[in-house]
Amino acid sequence: MTHNPTSTSCAPDSPTAPEAQTAARWAESAHLHDVEALARALGVDLHTGLAPQEAARRAALCGPNSLAQVRRRSALALLAEQFQDFMVLVLLAAAVVSGLVGEITDTLVILVIVVLNAVIGFVQAWRADQALAALRQLAAAQATVLRGGQVQTVPAHTLVPGDVVLLEAGNQIPADLRLLQIAQFQVDESALTGESVPVAKQSAPLPPQTGGALGDRSNMAYKGTTATLGRARGLVVATGMHTELGKIAQLLDTEDRSTPLQRRLAAFGRRLALVILGICLVIFAAGVLRGEDPLRMALTAISLAVAAIPEALPAVVTVLLALGARRMVAFHALVRRLPAVETLGSVTVICSDKTGTLTQNRMHAELLLACGERWTPGEPASPVHAEALRAAALCNDAVRQKSAENGENGENGNSTEEERNEDGAWLGDPTETALVLAALSAGLDKVALDAALPRVQEQPFDSSRKRMTTFHRLPGGGASAGYVAYTKGAPESVLPRCRSQWTPSGDAALEKSAVLAAASALAEQGLRVLALARREHARLPDTNDLAGVENALQFLGLVALIDPPRAEAAAAVRDCQSAGIVPVMITGDHPATARAIALRLGIVASAEAPVLTGKELAELDDAALRARVEQVRVYARVDPAQKIRIVEALQALGHFVAMTGDGVNDAPALKRADIGVAMGRGGTDVAREASSLVLLDDNFATIVAAVREGRRIYDNIRKFVRYAMTGNSGEIWTIFLAPFLLLPIPLQPIHILWVNLVTDGLPGLALAAEPAEAGIMRRPPRPPRESLFAHGMWQHILAVGLLIGGLCLAVQAWALHTGHAHWQTMVFTVLTLTQMAHILAIRSETQPLWRLGLASNLPLLGAVLLTLALQLATIYVPALNPIFKTQPLSWDELALCFGAALLVYAVVEVEKAWRRRRACAARTKVAEPHYRPGT
Ligand code: ATP
């Protein structure tokens, strides 16, 4: 191996990294070389992969296999952003000017308060950034590699040159690879080449004159592209920034991170800011006209503008969404796009796969039916049963994993479930592991079978074809030697391709209709039924005509597998129904199996419920489908491509659709759905990329839990907005109305800023911890376009704000009238206390506080008590009196302030009681649910 000191690689200066340097050099021309030569150059044995220690050593030298991220906002930049608000700058300027001509303490206190405000803003933004970064980390891609002779799943960023990667349809190509073995492998390279038609790959070296275009390198697979069909193995030749994608990777992270709600709030905030500025201008003018000091009036008006303009709303919404998204990870829902959190509450239909989502995906074979004879696992197998079991074990991609350390890993992306037996775990699609174990129970070991009848070619499973075929070399050699092909798949997909019934003594006639009837009868019991078939070939068929050779097959038998519904699914279906959400099952499985499971889960109420099959669906035009889609709860034998039509039909009727999916073909429907939901364990990278929510446990109940959490978070955002804006409205009313009532300006600028700081900071954020409202899953979904301020929130903000302002002014007028010298301290205190009372009262939109209990949101209780303590400190700590321009209040003065707060609390409780009564009356009136009840 020659070293090239000038080559740039992942470790350019390291003489200890010949493989890495070689990789960089060979990566350029990898398509021209023989795989064996390349493997030797990269120091790897293609049969065992790199040793784990060697992979770790190379990782240390080469760095992570990731693209240099667009730099995260640094803490300093984040802090600086907090001071960029125009009004804050104006305030600082005004404070400095007033300090120069008057009291320096005023200026200092204002500066301190502004800094504290910035710190709170910084902490909020930082927490949001952290939460988002943690989510991105969780969503990071995985890759399946061969290391130390073991197949294992590792984070894609740990790949190094020399790794042998296993790929299958749906995988994102994790690094630049030279392909070594392929089976019908196709790659969508549009991300790199712009070519939207998937490219068929091969593994032979290309002639030296092959052009430099990536699209011409048919034996390479490049990072960032996706496998759409088949399976392959590839040798990593370049990682990270050395990949072709890395070379053009400035395009990352350009996605707009703000959510629709944030954008709407920001736009609304800008309009509101203008109104508030107008009001502040009026206040300033009125004050000056009344002979107040213009500088003081300017400071008051600007302070009010700073306090009342809700510039922090979008940031707080991010915090609430991001914290909510983090909480959702705890119950296995990973949010990939933040806006999904706020829109989850609007879902009206959840379209879910059956296998693994509504069912456990822990399959076992119940029986095998061949030539009219039943065989059940554990029994000795007759010759025809044995041949069927051989087919089941050989036409099968499950792999045995001896070591227990990779318990969570699977060789292929659809395959994280595992079955253990005494020899170790079988990894693979649960349907297939169940078949391997069934064969084993009859003494047929897949490992021995694979050795005796090695697979030489295959037509992989694909959920549109619903079958797969593998080709095996028969032992013996000589003239009699040939090949046997085994096919397994859905009975309707396999039987039409069968010619006869195989028996050990020769072919027999095949009663296809009787077999299909038997398959239906098994499916009606909720069993998953597969047909098995074989065919011998003298020569290995042409790879291009594989579809043609899945013909004239010899039928072997039907195997029926049990896949029980998940225990929690039925309750989740009930939750959905009470929350006005319609659960719909869309499956590739047999209609009878689908109906039986749907009935058991309560998705349909009777065994006569209509089931629409993919074939029937294909015959309906869009209008006809729209006419049916609201009655159908179960779709069977549906191609993934048809899911998109179901989504569109539902959306055309005004539904907000969540749709699950796991395969490559599901991606368009996942993208089209309002909330695409991908499977975290069994799903493909492509499906995950296309979705906004990933179920880490593939469980239907998790979607329902996510919807519940989405509703809670949205409620809390509304509560925050209600609380913050009512407080602001109270402050504005107080200062705006005072001159009209011939009262002096009630508050100092410091008071206004202080109230804004202590009330908006902690208590507002503590609303993130507010538990879900009682009955949150008993109310209908929120219309997606409904305003955040719907259901009387505007009126509440204005009216309760007016009440707070009125109470402040009443206290001021009374204190002035009765000669209390502490009137300003009293107004200051009333303003803080009423806001604390208000936040406690609006913890629920309907339930009274005494039913919630103060202890049900301890962070909020703590924040309120802390705010009270701080407020009392400004009044009663002598050192703070001159700073805050306060005086200690007497007991009766303080009692009056608390009385005012109590009044605000009482009025809001009355408002809620009124709303409860109205909701109750409305419920009795609603007779017609949105979606017709299940048949
Ligand atoms: P769902 O869509 O709810 O996940 P599903 O697993 O039945 O259900 P697909 O994976 O599309 O959906 O499978 C469709 C049909 O193809 C199955 O009902 C089965 O008959 C057949 N099938 C599934 N897996 C295999 C396999 N590994 N080999 C051969 N045939 C299979």
Side-chain angles (χ1 to χ4, degrees):
M1 197 161 23
T2 50
H3 294 188
N4 178 355
T6 57
S7 75
T8 51
S9 79
C10 43
D13 304 323
S14 167
T16 54
E19 309 86 348
Q21 294 187 356
T22 315
R25 214 159 28 85
W26 283 63
E28 284 298 309
S29 58
H31 57 292
L32 305 177
H33 297 289
D34 180 57
V35 184
E36 300 295 333
L38 208 55
R40 270 195 306 281
L42 290 172
V44 58
D45 176 346
L46 292 177
H47 303 290
T48 57
L50 294 173
Q53 308 85 311
E54 175 61 13
R57 192 182 70 85
R58 291 188 190 190
L61 289 169
C62 299
N65 170 36
S66 48
L67 304 179
Q69 291 277 329
V70 172
R71 279 205 298 136
R72 288 238 313 264
R73 291 188 287 178
S74 73
L76 211 61
L78 218 54
L79 191 61
E81 262 176 38
Q82 309 304 317
F83 290 98
Q84 280 163 14
D85 184 62
F86 177 69
M87 283 317 296
V88 171
L89 294 180
V90 173
L91 174 68
L92 288 178
V96 170
V97 172
S98 94
L100 290 180
V101 296
E103 264 189 85
I104 196 80
T105 13
D106 250 21
T107 313
L108 287 180
V109 177
I110 289 177
L111 285 179
V112 169
I113 290 182
V114 168
V115 168
L116 279 177
N117 236 330
V119 168
I120 290 182
F122 165 76
V123 171
Q124 288 171 355
W126 189 72
R127 278 187 80 175
D129 267 18
Q130 293 293 313
L132 291 174
L135 284 176
R136 265 201 293 278
Q137 190 81 32
L138 279 169
Q142 304 277 311
T144 308
V145 289
L146 184 65
R147 279 188 186 163
Q150 296 284 323
V151 172
Q152 46 187 271
T153 307
V154 298
H157 67 82
T158 63
L159 290 183
V160 291
D163 261 330
V164 177
V165 174
L166 283 71
L167 299 166
E168 65 164 17
N171 286 165
Q172 210 159 49
I173 311 295
D176 284 1
L177 308 172
R178 168 71 166 81
L179 297 170
L180 338 162
Q181 275 173 18
I182 54 144
Q184 305 288 301
F185 193 58
Q186 290 191 0
V187 177
D188 173 356
E189 297 188 328
S190 53
L192 216 50
T193 61
E195 171 59 57
S196 58
V197 181
V199 189
K201 292 290 178 180
Q202 53 96 31
S203 57
L206 297 173
Q209 65 272 20
T210 307
L214 299 183
D216 296 337
R217 300 183 181 174
S218 57
N219 57 6
M220 298 287 294
Y222 291 103
K223 184 178 173 78
T225 60
T226 45
T228 54
L229 188 73
R231 296 142 62 80
R233 276 181 189 219
L235 178 62
V236 175
V237 293
T239 57
M241 291 306 281
H242 302 282
T243 59
E244 295 299 328
L245 182 65
K247 292 176 191 162
I248 54 164
Q250 282 84 20
L251 29 106
L252 258 190
D253 225 16
T254 47
E255 207 176 319
D256 181 3
R257 290 221 211 104
S258 56
T259 74
L261 183 60
Q262 283 169 306
R263 285 196 292 272
R264 281 211 313 264
L265 270 180
F268 158 79
R270 280 192 292 274
R271 284 199 303 274
L272 189 67
L274 287 180
V275 174
I276 292 174
L277 283 178
I279 294 174
C280 292
L281 213 61
V282 171
I283 290 174
F284 171 75
V288 174
L289 286 178
R290 282 175 54 193
E292 302 268 357
D293 169 23
L295 201 57
R296 173 138 300 268
M297 270 327 293
L299 213 50
T300 305
I302 298 168
S303 302
L304 186 62
V306 168
I309 292 174
E311 75 287 338
L313 276 190
V316 174
V317 169
T318 317
V319 176
L320 293 184
L321 292 174
L323 290 181
R326 275 193 76 167
R327 246 176 78 132
M328 285 161 78
V329 175
F331 56 80
H332 304 124
L334 174 63
V335 174
R336 292 193 73 257
R337 299 194 218 304
L338 212 50
V341 180
E342 70 188 46
T343 48
L344 270 168
S346 298
V347 169
T348 59
V349 183
I350 302 179
C351 296
S352 171
D353 285 345
K354 171 179 72 71
T355 311
T357 311
L358 288 162
T359 65
Q360 297 179 6
N361 220 4
R362 284 220 183 92
M363 299 200 202
H364 62 263
E366 178 83 349
L367 65 99
L368 171 65
L369 202 59
C371 291
E373 305 275 317
R374 275 174 175 246
W375 170 87
T376 51
E379 290 177 359
S382 70
V384 65
H385 289 127
E387 182 62 6
L389 288 170
R390 220 169 277 134
L394 283 166
C395 180
N396 191 313
D397 294 325
V399 288
R400 187 164 68 184
Q401 176 129 24
K402 283 228 171 69
S403 99
E405 65 191 283
N406 300 308
E408 281 295 298
N409 305 333
E411 173 169 2
N412 67 46
N414 290 329
S415 55
T416 36
E417 298 294 328
E418 64 176 70
E419 296 285 345
R420 285 184 184 283
N421 63 0
E422 57 281 6
D423 298 327
W426 281 95
L427 297 174
D429 179 345
T431 305
E432 304 206 324
T433 51
L435 294 176
V436 168
L437 293 181
L440 201 63
S441 81
L444 294 162
D445 182 359
K446 176 168 169 59
V447 176
L449 288 172
D450 278 336
L453 298 162
R455 187 190 294 191
V456 284
Q457 198 161 274
E458 66 189 273
Q459 179 80 40
F461 174 72
D462 153 359
S463 42
S464 312
R465 297 186 333 118
K466 299 187 174 46
R467 64 177 183 278
M468 67 183 276
T469 300
T470 55
F471 298 81
H472 305 263
R473 188 179 303 115
L474 286 167
S480 67
Y483 298 87
V484 58
Y486 288 115
T487 300
K488 80 173 194 308
E492 313 91 280
S493 162
V494 174
L495 268 165
R497 292 173 168 74
C498 290
R499 180 192 65 193
S500 55
Q501 167 75 52
W502 182 87
T503 73
S505 51
D507 280 7
L510 175 64
E511 283 275 347
K512 289 188 188 176
S513 52
V515 175
L516 284 175
S520 284
L522 291 169
E524 272 159 27
Q525 299 165 36
L527 294 165
R528 181 177 176 83
V529 189
L530 293 183
L532 301 160
R534 75 194 293 284
R535 177 176 164 185
E536 287 184 19
H537 297 270
R539 279 179 299 115
L540 196 58
D542 175 8
T543 354
N544 296 322
D545 185 32
L546 277 182
V549 295
E550 279 178 334
N551 239 326
L553 306 177
Q554 298 163 295
F555 179 69
L556 288 169
L558 294 174
V559 58
L561 306 158
I562 277 198
D563 181 14
R566 284 180 181 265
E568 60 281 36
V573 164
R574 277 197 303 279
D575 274 356
C576 270
Q577 287 159 343
S578 72
I581 303 167
V582 177
V584 170
M585 175 195 282
I586 303 182
T587 177
D589 215 334
H590 192 286
T593 314
R595 186 191 281 120
I597 302 280
L599 192 60
R600 252 177 254 175
L601 289 173
I603 291 176
V604 293
S606 91
E608 276 74 52
V611 174
L612 196 66
T613 63
K615 213 162 131 227
E616 292 160 349
L617 200 155
E619 284 160 11
L620 298 177
D621 64 12
D622 288 349
L625 179 59
R626 276 203 294 277
R628 303 241 4 226
V629 79
E630 288 208 321
Q631 287 96 52
V632 178
R633 305 292 159 79
V634 180
Y635 297 84
R637 290 291 189 233
V638 168
D639 281 353
Q642 291 177 319
K643 285 183 173 180
I644 196 159
R645 289 193 60 208
I646 302 175
V647 173
E648 284 174 351
L650 284 166
Q651 285 174 333
L653 294 172
H655 286 288
F656 201 81
V657 185
M659 162 80 80
T660 70
D662 47 16
V664 186
N665 310 345
D666 289 330
L670 292 177
K671 268 199 194 129
R672 181 63 218 242
D674 298 289
I675 302 216
V677 184
M679 301 300 144
R681 305 180 78 196
T684 58
D685 301 340
V686 178
R688 276 193 287 273
E689 281 297 307
S691 62
S692 32
L693 188 72
V694 177
L695 304 180
L696 299 175
D697 58 358
D698 294 7
N699 189 345
F700 177 76
T702 303
I703 311 176
V704 183
V707 167
R708 184 176 194 276
E709 183 65 8
R711 289 184 173 195
R712 184 187 78 88
I713 294 167
Y714 191 84
D715 279 355
N716 289 350
I717 291 176
R718 255 176 73 89
K719 285 171 195 173
F720 178 79
V721 172
R722 182 190 294 271
Y723 160 69
M725 302 228 352
T726 306
N728 292 355
S729 130
E731 289 155 30
I732 293 181
W733 281 123
T734 309
I735 301 197
F736 182 71
L737 291 181
F740 296 102
L741 300 175
L742 303 177
L743 292 167
I745 298 292
L747 293 162
Q748 300 275 348
I750 298 169
H751 297 153
I752 301 170
L753 294 172
W754 172 258
V755 170
N756 189 44
L757 176 76
V758 293
T759 55
D760 276 11
L762 281 182
L765 274 190
L767 279 176
E770 190 58 41
E773 294 260 354
I776 195 166
M777 290 301 268
R778 283 197 299 276
R779 62 185 198 216
R782 168 175 55 85
R785 267 176 256 291
E786 181 181 281
S787 154
L788 185 68
F789 296 94
H791 307 292
M793 187 141 104
W794 255 126
Q795 294 86 324
H796 176 101
I797 289 171
L798 288 177
V800 178
L802 185 60
L803 174 68
I804 292 176
L807 284 169
C808 286
L809 294 176
V811 167
Q812 182 187 12
W814 172 83
L816 281 169
H817 186 71
T818 52
H820 284 71
H822 306 149
W823 61 268
Q824 198 166 52
T825 307
M826 288 178 75
V827 175
F828 176 38
T829 308
V830 169
L831 200 53
T832 308
L833 297 189
T834 48
Q835 296 202 40
M836 292 304 99
H838 183 239
I839 199 170
L840 290 175
I842 56 106
R843 276 189 46 199
S844 165
E845 289 202 19
T846 50
Q847 299 298 309
L849 179 62
W850 57 87
R851 203 165 296 156
L852 302 178
L854 279 173
S856 57
N857 185 349
L858 287 176
L860 184 73
L861 184 63
V864 167
L865 291 177
L866 182 67
T867 306
L868 275 182
L870 289 174
Q871 180 67 24
L872 294 179
T874 63
I875 303 170
Y876 292 108
V877 174
L880 295 179
N881 291 146
I883 295 177
F884 285 96
K885 303 198 168 48
T886 50
Q887 291 103 9
L889 297 180
S890 65
W891 282 113
D892 54 339
E893 287 168 341
L894 189 65
L896 190 68
C897 297
F898 272 99
L902 207 61
L903 191 62
V904 169
Y905 169 76
V907 167
V908 178
E909 284 293 3
V910 170
E911 181 205 348
K912 290 195 298 186
W914 170 75
R915 211 177 296 144
R916 277 197 299 277
R917 281 191 51 183
R918 232 181 38 160
C920 206
R923 256 202 307 278
T924 48
K925 254 201 259 163
V926 172
E928 184 73 13
H930 193 36
Y931 210 111
R932 260 150 279 172
T935 24

